[in-house]
Amino acid sequence: MTISLALRDLRSSTARLSEAVTELVMIAHEDRPDGSEVAAVDHFAEQVSELQSSVVAAGQELVAIDGPALLSQRMPLVDDALAAATVCYWRDLRSYAATGAMRQVARRGGGGWRAWQVSIEQSQQRCEEPLLDTVASARRVWLELAEVVALWLRHPPPADPGGAPENTDPGGRAVTAPPSPSTWRTS
């Protein structure tokens, strides 16, 4: 796989995740039963919004990547957003405690509440595969970046034969430019 293919896969899986989370947001906020101004339901709806916020942040960072140089700068931000989405999904929405709280509220609320709670759980389950795919896609991007770094470390750019001084960082250490994208693996 190449970096461009890994990035394309990450963008695609993030878009699928965004669609699944948008469905969950609609059910959690728009389809709530009458009289659902219960603290547990409000808390759940807030957590769904947090999940959506993290997924949107990852998507926005991916849109801002328009070249290989920006990939290495923006990928940590994408990764942070996906990590926040993963924690929110598993801890705040799908954990035993979160699921139990929603089921308890639904039992007290009656038939309409129970139907809503079942649709919430089904929508949450539809988010699981896209979330796992997105995290795996992000990992593939990191692996491709690591391979490029390894290639660069094994074959650094040649030193300037004219004896011109190298660029230095504030500590006086020599700094060389990263390899140009034309030297990166393409297949």
Side-chain angles (χ1 to χ4, degrees):
M1 181 172 280
T2 64
I3 288 179
S4 60
L5 288 175
L7 182 59
R8 186 181 70 204
D9 287 349
L10 178 56
R11 285 178 172 147
S12 177
S13 62
T14 303
R16 286 191 307 277
L17 175 60
S18 182
E19 290 170 7
V21 169
T22 298
E23 174 194 297
L24 179 60
V25 168
M26 294 298 292
I27 293 170
H29 290 282
E30 304 293 326
D31 296 345
R32 288 168 67 160
D34 292 332
S36 64
E37 290 74 29
V38 177
V41 174
D42 288 340
H43 178 71
F44 175 81
E46 286 177 29
Q47 296 307 314
V48 169
S49 294
E50 288 295 319
L51 174 65
Q52 183 183 37
S53 174
S54 296
V55 172
V56 166
Q60 288 174 335
E61 290 300 330
L62 286 169
V63 167
I65 298 170
D66 65 355
L70 285 178
L71 179 61
S72 63
Q73 294 170 359
R74 297 251 182 217
M75 196 58 200
L77 301 172
V78 172
D79 201 47
D80 287 346
L82 291 177
T86 301
V87 167
C88 183
Y89 179 77
W90 290 111
R91 183 190 64 200
D92 302 331
L93 299 176
R94 291 290 304 274
S95 69
Y96 178 81
T99 301
M102 289 301 292
R103 287 179 179 175
Q104 184 177 22
V105 167
R107 276 193 298 275
R108 285 185 275 160
W113 282 65
R114 179 70 180 137
W116 176 73
Q117 183 264 325
V118 167
S119 67
I120 285 286
E121 286 187 18
Q122 291 170 344
S123 183
Q124 286 175 319
Q125 290 170 355
R126 286 189 290 274
C127 293
E128 182 175 334
E129 186 177 341
L131 178 61
L132 295 173
D133 288 346
T134 301
V135 170
S137 294
R139 184 171 185 270
R140 284 190 293 276
V141 170
W142 280 118
L143 290 172
E144 290 299 320
L145 284 172
E147 186 174 326
V148 169
V149 169
L151 288 171
W152 183 61
L153 290 173
R154 280 190 298 241
H155 306 288
D160 184 7
E166 294 182 303
N167 292 331
T168 59
D169 67 8
R173 294 177 297 265
V175 177
T176 59
S180 71
S182 63
T183 63
W184 293 4
R185 181 172 67 112
T186 58
S187 59

